[in-house]
Amino acid sequence: MSPRLAARLAVVCSLFFGVAIARAERRPVAIVNLTETDAGMELARALGNEVNQHAVLGPIDAVLAGELMSKAGPDDQTRRLRDAHDAIRAAEQQLERFEFKSAEGTVQAAQSALLSATPTGEVVATYAELSFLLGHAYLGLRDNRQAAAAFALAHRVDPTFQPDEGRYLPEVIRTYNATKAGQTATGTISVTGTGTVVIDNQEVGTAPAWFPATAGDHVVWLIGPDRDPRGKKVTVAAKQKEEVAIEDAVTTKRTKVSRARNVLRAAPDTAARSTAMGELATLLGIKDAVLVTDNAGKLVVQTWSAADGFSKLRERKTEPVAELLWPLAPPPPAKIARKDDRPIKLPPPEDRWYEKSRYRIGIPSAVLAIVGIFVIASIDRHVTTNGNLGPKPTETIGR
């Protein structure tokens, strides 16, 4: 390799690694879209594009960035609850039309979907109501044993549940109330898997382990921050051990980010919003974020930093997208012109002495004067030597 080529290669490598280091030093920023609108998603993407080209701020992982900038629709938990409530209304209409078999299928499908939901208070209450409707359907099918088991499970999952006496037949209400006494015999549930164990509506420990339970039907969930919730329905016999194996369902980081965004979006007050933002930032490993929200149809932008918290809300108007990032990375201050900053005007170069006009005029005159002096001096010498200006007379020899 020639020395010149080696030098050029060194320069290129220096520039490449310099750019790489500069990019590595940029602060990652999460663009969080909390709206359900196309306009909100477009603004979030525009902010993301601006961050990608920013000199100080930088992007986060592309998959997570896409998840945060998409429209903020309901999460899996919300969708499952919504579908379960739709199933309750559908099953009630089927029971009114004496379509007991159809009602049985509707309820069982909804209960199965809720086994993949986190067993919050609303989830277990909804599961209990579905179980009551299943018992109602079994009564219509003349299956009193399964009806009693379904009613008992509804009471175990939510002891506070009480059906509306004005909406159901008296015999259905009497049968349900008769199951409240429940079973006194007990058995054992052996849970294999990883996570926190929830039986019916109570956290009872960590799997794998075994737990005492009354005889009858139960719902067992495995939950945890690093896994998706999973549950199974199990029937426990008196003095018997029932084994329940629940598969591991590791939660992806994308799912965690999606959940954290929904928690942030649903935050009821400033304190909860600050806590939710901090948890999302920890999950992403960032210290700066830009939030896009909507208010009465208008887009609102707010920045967040670990050091300063939330900035003031700013309505999005016609300003450049880059300006919305100024609370996180202010632009360089505009330079103010001062007297000392004015460009210095140098005087034009002075002509050499022989280029000046007075010398250009005087030099020919001086030359002529000198030439005249030499001519006069020559004439004067000649006169002095000969005595006159005419030719010298010729002398005659021997005269």
Side-chain angles (χ1 to χ4, degrees):
M1 182 183 296
S2 67
R4 179 175 294 180
L5 182 58
R8 289 180 179 177
L9 181 60
V11 171
V12 171
C13 290
S14 299
L15 290 174
F16 174 79
F17 287 113
V19 172
I21 292 172
R23 283 189 171 272
E25 291 176 347
R26 293 193 298 168
R27 303 196 323 264
V29 177
I31 310 300
V32 187
N33 177 24
L34 300 178
T35 75
E36 297 182 6
T37 64
D38 291 333
M41 183 172 62
E42 290 175 4
L43 177 56
R45 288 179 176 176
L47 286 164
N49 291 333
E50 188 65 31
V51 165
N52 287 342
Q53 306 299 324
H54 205 277
V56 177
L57 309 176
I60 62 173
D61 176 81
V63 174
L64 301 181
E67 178 67 31
L68 290 173
M69 288 188 288
S70 63
K71 289 191 286 187
D75 58 8
D76 291 341
Q77 182 91 349
T78 303
R79 283 193 293 269
R80 289 189 174 97
L81 273 170
R82 182 186 59 196
D83 293 344
H85 289 300
D86 290 342
I88 288 173
R89 288 190 290 270
E92 287 175 339
Q93 292 174 358
Q94 290 165 341
L95 291 172
E96 289 175 359
R97 297 193 298 266
F98 306 107
E99 298 172 357
F100 302 116
K101 196 66 178 176
S102 297
E104 177 192 10
T106 298
V107 170
Q108 288 178 335
Q111 285 184 319
S112 179
L114 284 182
L115 292 176
S116 295
T118 301
T120 60
E122 186 177 5
V123 168
V124 297
T126 303
Y127 193 96
E129 187 172 359
L130 286 166
S131 190
F132 167 78
L133 293 176
L134 182 61
H136 191 339
Y138 282 138
L139 283 180
L141 293 171
R142 301 293 189 268
D143 191 337
N144 294 336
R145 183 186 65 81
Q146 290 203 72
F151 287 154
L153 179 59
H155 182 68
R156 286 193 194 98
V157 173
D158 183 8
T160 65
F161 174 74
Q162 182 61 42
D164 185 356
E165 296 183 2
R167 297 176 59 188
Y168 301 100
L169 296 173
E171 55 267 29
V172 174
I173 300 297
R174 283 196 300 270
T175 304
Y176 172 74
N177 289 334
T179 64
K180 285 187 178 182
Q183 290 279 350
T184 58
T186 61
T188 301
I189 299 177
S190 177
V191 182
T192 59
T194 57
T196 300
V197 180
V198 177
I199 297 179
D200 300 331
N201 62 354
Q202 296 291 328
E203 289 189 11
V204 294
T206 303
W210 61 271
F211 307 94
T214 57
D217 291 345
H218 297 270
V219 183
V220 180
W221 277 280
L222 270 183
I223 62 174
D226 296 323
R227 62 161 298 142
D228 287 335
R230 292 289 185 271
K232 284 188 176 181
K233 181 179 175 182
V234 57
T235 302
V236 178
K239 299 181 181 181
Q240 300 294 320
K241 174 187 281 189
E242 186 67 29
E243 294 186 357
V244 180
I246 300 178
E247 72 278 9
D248 289 334
V250 179
T251 302
T252 64
K253 190 170 184 178
R254 181 174 181 175
T255 300
K256 293 180 182 179
V257 168
S258 178
R259 292 173 182 171
R261 179 176 69 159
N262 280 286
V263 172
L264 174 61
R265 183 167 175 255
D269 51 44
T270 303
R273 184 180 176 87
S274 180
T275 300
M277 185 64 241
E279 292 177 353
L280 177 59
T282 300
L283 184 60
L284 295 171
I286 61 167
K287 294 183 179 180
D288 299 278
V290 182
L291 280 62
V292 179
T293 58
D294 50 8
N295 182 19
K298 297 179 180 180
L299 293 177
V300 177
V301 176
Q302 186 178 35
T303 60
W304 174 90
S305 68
D308 302 323
F310 291 104
S311 69
K312 293 182 179 179
L313 295 171
R314 176 173 180 172
E315 182 184 339
R316 164 67 166 149
K317 295 182 180 178
T318 59
E319 68 275 19
V321 174
E323 188 176 325
L324 301 175
L325 301 174
W326 286 358
L328 297 179
K335 190 175 182 181
I336 301 175
R338 298 176 301 181
K339 291 182 179 180
D340 295 343
D341 294 334
R342 290 181 297 180
I344 299 175
K345 294 183 179 181
L346 297 176
E350 187 177 358
D351 295 338
R352 294 182 176 90
W353 67 271
Y354 55 81
E355 294 177 336
K356 294 182 178 180
S357 59
R358 61 177 180 272
Y359 293 115
R360 287 200 301 266
I361 297 173
I363 288 174
S365 302
V367 171
L368 290 175
I370 292 171
V371 172
I373 291 171
F374 275 103
V375 172
I376 294 172
S378 177
I379 294 173
D380 184 62
R381 252 193 335 270
H382 186 74
V383 171
T384 303
T385 304
N386 298 297
N388 55 45
L389 296 174
K392 186 178 180 181
T394 304
E395 294 179 357
T396 304
I397 301 174
R399 191 171 172 182

